[in-house]
Structure formats: C-alpha cells, structure tokens
Amino acid sequence: MKVSVLSGENTGDRRRARYHSSIIDSRLLRHGDDFSDLPESYVIFITERDVIGGKLPIYIVERQITNTGENFNDGEHIIYVNGEAKNNATELGRLMHDFFCTDPDEMHYKQLADKVRYFKQDEKGVETMCRVMEEMRNSIG
C-alpha cells in the first residue's frame, strides 16, 4: 500500500488528485511488471478549507461503475480531509486542530506536539529543520 499526504494551494482542483494518483502508479510499476503488482494507493489531501463544499469533515472518493452502482475496485483511493473541521469532540477534529496549531502546548496529540516542540524549540531539531529548508531552497533554485 502506498499513501501520499498532500496539502497546499490548489488542493481543491480535482484533477490534481488524478494527477498525483497517476504519478504514484507510474513510479511503482516498472516496464514488464504485471498490472496486478500495483499496490493499493491512497492520495490524501489535507486542506485548510472545505474544498469540496459539502460541509463534511472527510470525503472518501472511490471510482464507480455508474450504470451498475458497483465500486470499480481498482485499488485507487482519494481522500480529502477538511481542515476547517476542527471539532474537539472527534478524533479527526482534534487532529485538524493540531495540524494547524503552531503551539505544541495547545495540541491534543502528544506525539505530534512532541515533534513540533522538537523542530521548533530543541536546538538539534531547529538545526535539522533549518538544514532541510536550506536543502529544499537550494534544490529549487
């Protein structure tokens, strides 16, 4: 199984999901491999706002045979997580709160808070983050 989590601008463009799913597949299968060797793939978009517009916390997209209503079951799965759904009464809502929270002391999930604290407050973590950001900047420019 291959899982890719994406966020950022233009995450509401539904063709972007199609694009990322195809890129995953093209990298997982080599020339001559059998198509049945493709693993299940999940492309997960965590968005700042409700890009689908249905006021749901999560949208699960599956292909369907429209004239029978059956799932196509090709192993491709696309999930949109609505970052606006910061409902503290649900696990997903608490996670969305933490994803968009910059203060680890205000986070619900200890593991995530500990990582944020490490990369923002620990000397080694800050150095690591600065190095990664520098490498990203250099690879672009």
Side-chain angles (χ1 to χ4, degrees), residues 11-14 47-54 59 80 82 84:
T11 51
D13 185 341
R14 295 174 188 192
T47 62
E48 288 185 52
R49 54 187 175 73
D50 185 358
V51 297
I52 302 296
Y59 301 90
Y80 285 86
N82 176 4
E84 288 180 328

Side-chain angles (χ1 to χ4, degrees), residues 43-102:
V43 177
I44 303 170
F45 289 94
I46 300 174
T47 62
E48 288 185 52
R49 54 187 175 73
D50 185 358
V51 297
I52 302 296
K55 296 185 169 110
L56 295 174
I58 192 166
Y59 301 90
I60 299 169
V61 180
E62 297 286 345
R63 291 185 199 212
Q64 184 182 65
I65 302 170
T66 57
N67 54 338
T68 66
E70 294 176 66
N71 281 343
F72 191 57
N73 293 325
D74 64 349
E76 177 190 48
H77 310 278
I78 298 170
I79 300 171
Y80 285 86
V81 181
N82 176 4
E84 288 180 328
K86 298 178 183 89
N87 178 350
N88 283 337
T90 69
E91 289 181 28
L92 180 61
R94 289 189 295 275
L95 183 61
M96 286 304 94
H97 168 271
D98 288 3
F99 267 36
F100 295 97
C101 182
T102 57

